[in-house]
Amino acid sequence: MRFSYSWLTEHLKTNAHFEEIEKKLTSIGLEVEDIQDTGKAYQDFIVGQVLEEKKHPNADKLKLCKVDIGKEKVDVVCGAPNVEKGMKVVYAPVGSTIPVNQMKIKAVKIRGVESYGMMCSEYELGISNEHDGIIRLEEKETIGRSFSEIYGLNDIVIEIGITPNRQDCLGVKGIARDLASAGMGELLERKISREKGSFKSPIKIEIQDNKICSAFAGRYFRNVKNTESPEWLKNKLKSIGLRPISALVDITNFVMYDENRPLHVYDADKIDGKIIVRSANDGESFLALDEKDYHLKNGMCVIADEKKVLGLGGIMGGESTGCSTETKNVLLESALFDEINTAKTGRNLSILSDARFRFERGIDPNSTLKGIDLATQLILEICGGECSEVELAGNIKENKNEVSTSSSYISRRLGFEVSDKELISILSSLGIETSQTGDVIKCLIPSWRQDIHGEADISEEVIRIKGYENIPTSNIRLKSKINKNILNYAQKKLMKARHFIASIEYDELVTFSFTDSKNCEVFGDINKLKIVNPISEDLDILRPNLLPNLLQAIKKNKNRNFDSFSIFEIGSQYRSTSPEDQLNVACGIKSGIKTEKSWKNIQTEFDIYDVKQDLTSLIDYLMPGNKKISVSNDCPSWYHPGRSGSIKINNSLIAGYFGELHPRVASQFKIKNKINIFELYLDELPNTEKKNTNKPVLNLSDFQIVTRDFAFVIDKKVKSEEIVTSAFKVDKELIRNVEIFDLFEDDSLGKDKKSIAIKVTLQSNEKTLAENDISEISSKIIESVEKSTSGTVRS
Amino acid sequence: MKDFRELETEIKKASDKFTNIESINEFRIKFLGKKGIISLEMKELASLSGDERKQHAEKLNKIKDTVLEIIASKTEELNSEELEKKLNSETLDITLSTSKSYGTIHPISQVIEEVITIFGDLDFFVAEGPEVETDYNNFTALNTSEHHPARQMHDTFYVETETDGMPNVLRTHTSPVQIRSMLKQKPPIRLIAPGKTFRCDNDQTHSPMFHQVEGLVIDQESNMSHLKGCLEIFLKTFFETDKLNMRFRPSHFPFTEPSAEVDIGYTKKGNQLIIGEGEDWLEILGCGMVHPNVLENVNINSNEYQGYAFGMGIERLAMLKYGISDLRTFFDSDLRWNKHYGFSPLNIPSIIGDLS
């Protein structure tokens, strides 16, 4: 909401400095967003007259002008097409600053000719978008007069943010009233004469649906002249950024911004019969003042005559009855439209208008007739003519809202003592009438405050006027804890996982929860993930997997010359757009160069064993202690079928995957590198809340450790893990460790064969192992492995 | 009586000529070997008698000790010389290096962990809710009816699923977690709810996805002064400053009454933003006393219980604290940015250690 300081002081008698008022506005909840001291910005601009105008010798489109600016005559080079001899112009002298671009005017040579100053367009002065030519002032303007005086710009324009509850401050008067309540002066009542009207309105009004419009006041004016508005009115509107149109329209705009009372004027000669306020019929359409055709639906509030729709109640008038300079007879409307219905209609048709903005927030019912009176006074004064009696259809609600409260309730909510006396005094400053019975204070809410419904609202009014800075500060530390845990197990798991993964060289990314459906069919059912109103076409679904956005990140960073990627994200992915279909996943990618070629190392690349190790050590970290991790080949389709594995913990559900990205998916994302991925479904890790802080018992043996190496030739398709397990199970006590240390594949071993070498570590708890103990267990190991893998030991 | 002076001189002479371990060995054999001079002399003691034997023995033993001492000290000397020589030939270029790198924690995770740490210390537990929400939880239960003007300010994303005939939404704020939590738990309640939020808005200063942290306290006495105390301690701890100009001013949220917006003072020194001091104000969060209608919507008696709620933007906190200038860079996945603004994984926010 924009208003000028001078407009404000028409309603507020105050001795306060502007700076005090500025601070107070913010402190009572009318946040000052911008202040423009237009007097200061325009102080250098004055009226000049073009004495001579001739062609520039070196440029076709430029002209040389001599301009009289009062105290002297100056030469100005001008490019405006409309400059001519005798014209009164706005002159910007050397040293002044052009508002629109902050350019400082200097004496310059333009194509070889000296120019002192500039003649300005409305655009350059930041007044409008008119930049086709320079401003042509009226003939009568005195040379040397300050331009800001003529345009009424010798003022300060204030822009405040109005929160949705403060409908009462959508007019300058309401702002003045709130400032007066907060001790910034006295609210001035505008003297409005109440015209009775000399005849009955020939246009009758009928409300067919009083739910969507509870009251409609109309007044007929005959023989008006819809001229240009007087300067004071034009300047007022211009000061707050509105374009003056014609007196009748300007008057309704003025009343709206002054009293927060939307009005509408109809060209009465274009109305057929009576005014009917009704719900629209499905399929009806009408051409609104914004020159757009709107198709209406049942339930929308229309103002119609007996033949056609004239306007959308509380939102926008129509072209058919719009006023022009020819207009002679008009009907003035001041009505009460339903808030919710106005909001619904406006939203359905996507019409934003000042009227809608006000009606959907609630309008003071008492402004209905006041608005008619103020507009009548101005119409008769500016446009002449005669007015009818006021024709009122429907009822204007008279009874005020009632709220009961007490000083103890207010004190308990605000956190400091407010006495009955102080409470009553603050309320009465706001125009809230009170009556006290015992502790209960009954409040009658004035009609302009549509937002006060309950005791809590009263508490806000009290602290708003008293000042939020007067709220004391209290300690909130508790004597005894109320929450057993700050983070639950699942939350700790996420946090631990994040730090662990970052500690093994991955950079954490946070990407959008949306992604592009185009490349996502492989990851999930994209039809279940659609966003109805996506921000853009390529962010049209909720992500079925963390990978797509991470793959895009790799693509982008590849273009930034990165050749080694270790990135991860922990976040949610979605099975559908139902609230419960959200999963917590950790997804990491290692791709490209693992170790750079250097004086010490040869260059190596990441492969699936890197991500497998990261995944298993992550699981180990999150789930310390004994568990059985098993790996199998059943991976989802975005993995390379031969180079990927799924991980099961304790034979329950699959907790994660690792492997190489399927080449087909990689090429969809236009990625050429091998992408090694791990995914861990964090929700699938059993929630083993710590029950005991003790670690398992530690048994240490001091007897000698012996190691023995074995190599086996087995079929390629047999998993090496099989060797490890079958060796282990020979003697769980003596065999401390089995480790694969060599893999050898060569045709010399036989077709589709490989050789796997293991190192077995043996130690007894009772004695030093003798040679015959060792050879006995060695043969058992060979026997067990050969049997379970159908392989043969290499000698 | 033999005075062995000759022997002593000979030992002295021989001991000056050591050049390596072998010469020490020869020396030992010459004097102490089976047929060495001292050994032979020892044998001869048997032929002596009485005092003379005693005196000779004493003397010989002394000489033998001297020889052993010489052998020990000379061996040590030669060994260390040799080691010195070896070490001198074994130098490495210490200006060469290899590197070990850690990954990084995203600033959003860092700030969320900092916020959890501070509020955890004040006994707020961490609550959660889904990112796809019902219209009821996101708006209606929070006293924002279907046609409330505040809804239009939210630029809501809608999805195709419905709950009770209303399309589900991507939550526009973390406030629906208040509703979910209050339905699950009776007062006293102290919680924070950090998480992702979504609004259909994308420009220089808006991202369609961003993060918020919600706070909620419900009990029998918490009031505006506790709210002020709570935010003051949070902001001071978070910005790691003792000085903090904080300004409460009235605002409006449908789910709080009274509502407030909180500004903090700042100054600009060059490109640096100094938080806490100064005449200029930065808006940092919204808060207020929970609206009685919200409590009634979750079956909490609003005559018995009251409390406050607050919500703030994680990115904004991160930008102000860590001097990040552009909101959209958080989600750009530019690894240069991540490596620069990211945090060490060993850096776990702490109240007793460092917060950041």
Side-chain angles (χ1 to χ4, degrees), chain A residues 692-721:
Chain A
N692 193 331
T693 50
N694 286 2
K695 299 212 169 201
V697 176
L698 176 64
N699 288 318
L700 296 174
S701 162
D702 287 332
F703 295 100
Q704 201 183 357
I705 292 176
V706 183
T707 62
R708 284 290 181 274
D709 297 346
F710 305 89
F712 295 94
V713 175
I714 56 174
D715 274 354
K716 260 188 188 164
K717 62 173 194 289
V718 177
K719 296 224 165 16
S720 56
E721 197 188 13

Side-chain angles (χ1 to χ4, degrees), chain A residues 7 11 173 190-195 219 221 232 251-252 254-261 263 332 367-382:
Chain A
W7 194 341
H11 292 288
K173 184 179 176 182
R190 193 192 286 279
K191 282 209 182 73
I192 304 171
S193 58
R194 179 157 276 195
E195 291 293 328
R219 174 169 256 178
F221 292 79
W232 71 264
I251 288 166
T252 60
F254 170 74
V255 175
M256 178 163 65
Y257 278 92
D258 189 67
E259 287 275 347
N260 189 25
R261 174 18 91 178
L263 301 170
L332 174 69
S367 72
T368 315
L369 296 177
K370 268 192 207 159
I372 291 265
D373 288 335
L374 176 55
T376 300
Q377 184 177 315
L378 291 168
I379 292 172
L380 295 180
E381 188 184 302
I382 297 166

Side-chain angles (χ1 to χ4, degrees), chain B residues 306-326:
Chain B
Q306 62 177 33
Y308 55 85
F310 52 85
M312 50 197 151
I314 297 291
E315 286 82 358
R316 185 153 179 85
L317 289 175
M319 287 166 83
L320 293 177
K321 182 165 179 178
Y322 295 112
I324 301 169
S325 57
D326 187 346

Side-chain angles (χ1 to χ4, degrees), chain A residues 544-603:
Chain A
N545 192 289
L546 300 187
L547 274 171
N549 291 348
L550 291 179
L551 292 174
Q552 270 165 15
I554 290 206
K555 180 98 183 57
K556 270 200 257 178
N557 285 293
K558 185 110 184 106
N559 297 340
R560 293 179 187 122
N561 276 329
F562 279 87
D563 52 14
S564 173
F565 301 93
S566 299
I567 57 172
F568 80 107
E569 180 164 10
I570 292 183
S572 31
Q573 64 188 48
Y574 311 82
R575 271 191 300 250
S576 86
T577 54
S578 288
E580 62 280 5
D581 273 349
Q582 176 183 327
L583 330 167
N584 286 309
V585 183
C587 178
I589 294 180
K590 278 188 170 168
S591 174
I593 295 173
K594 180 181 180 182
T595 45
E596 203 75 62
K597 180 174 183 285
S598 70
W599 60 275
K600 196 166 188 286
N601 297 316
I602 54 158
Q603 178 171 316

Side-chain angles (χ1 to χ4, degrees), chain A residues 407-507:
Chain A
S407 57
S408 63
Y409 176 87
I410 303 293
S411 307
R412 182 179 158 218
R413 214 168 163 79
L414 298 181
F416 59 92
E417 254 339 278
V418 180
S419 66
D420 285 353
K421 201 178 144 210
E422 188 178 16
L423 175 58
I424 289 168
S425 131
I426 289 177
L427 294 177
S428 80
S429 78
L430 287 160
I432 298 174
E433 294 166 41
T434 55
S435 56
Q436 190 171 4
T437 331
D439 288 338
V440 178
I441 294 170
K442 200 163 89 181
C443 309
L444 280 181
I445 311 303
S447 63
W448 61 82
R449 288 303 295 270
Q450 298 284 306
D451 60 316
I452 301 178
H453 303 286
E455 273 187 289
D457 301 324
I458 299 283
S459 73
E460 178 168 85
E461 291 307 303
V462 171
I463 192 58
R464 206 168 60 77
I465 297 305
K466 193 171 164 67
Y468 277 46
E469 68 278 11
N470 291 312
I471 302 169
T473 302
S474 296
N475 181 27
I476 66 153
R477 286 203 187 270
L478 297 169
K479 289 198 190 81
S480 55
K481 278 177 77 72
I482 56 173
N483 292 314
K484 191 168 156 261
N485 294 308
I486 301 305
L487 293 168
N488 62 30
Y489 179 76
Q491 293 162 339
K492 283 185 226 169
K493 196 162 55 179
L494 248 66
M495 198 165 125
K496 281 177 158 181
R498 173 176 301 120
H499 285 269
F500 182 84
I501 300 168
S503 77
I504 47 176
E505 298 187 19
Y506 292 84
D507 290 311

Side-chain angles (χ1 to χ4, degrees), chain A residues 296-308:
Chain A
L296 310 180
K297 282 198 195 100
N298 189 258
M300 294 177 173
C301 176
V302 296
I303 315 297
D305 60 16
E306 289 169 27
K307 290 195 173 149
K308 60 192 177 294

Side-chain angles (χ1 to χ4, degrees), chain A residues 480-536:
Chain A
S480 55
K481 278 177 77 72
I482 56 173
N483 292 314
K484 191 168 156 261
N485 294 308
I486 301 305
L487 293 168
N488 62 30
Y489 179 76
Q491 293 162 339
K492 283 185 226 169
K493 196 162 55 179
L494 248 66
M495 198 165 125
K496 281 177 158 181
R498 173 176 301 120
H499 285 269
F500 182 84
I501 300 168
S503 77
I504 47 176
E505 298 187 19
Y506 292 84
D507 290 311
E508 186 189 16
L509 302 183
V510 175
T511 70
F512 284 156
S513 296
F514 331 108
T515 194
D516 189 346
S517 63
K518 269 181 232 88
N519 292 325
C520 280
E521 259 147 8
V522 66
F523 296 106
D525 186 350
I526 57 171
N527 290 317
K528 283 186 176 169
L529 294 164
K530 278 188 188 146
I531 295 168
V532 173
N533 53 336
I535 197 91
S536 68

Side-chain angles (χ1 to χ4, degrees), chain A residues 63 77 103 112 132 260 515:
Chain A
K63 285 164 187 158
V77 175
M103 182 182 86
D132 287 345
N260 189 25
T515 194

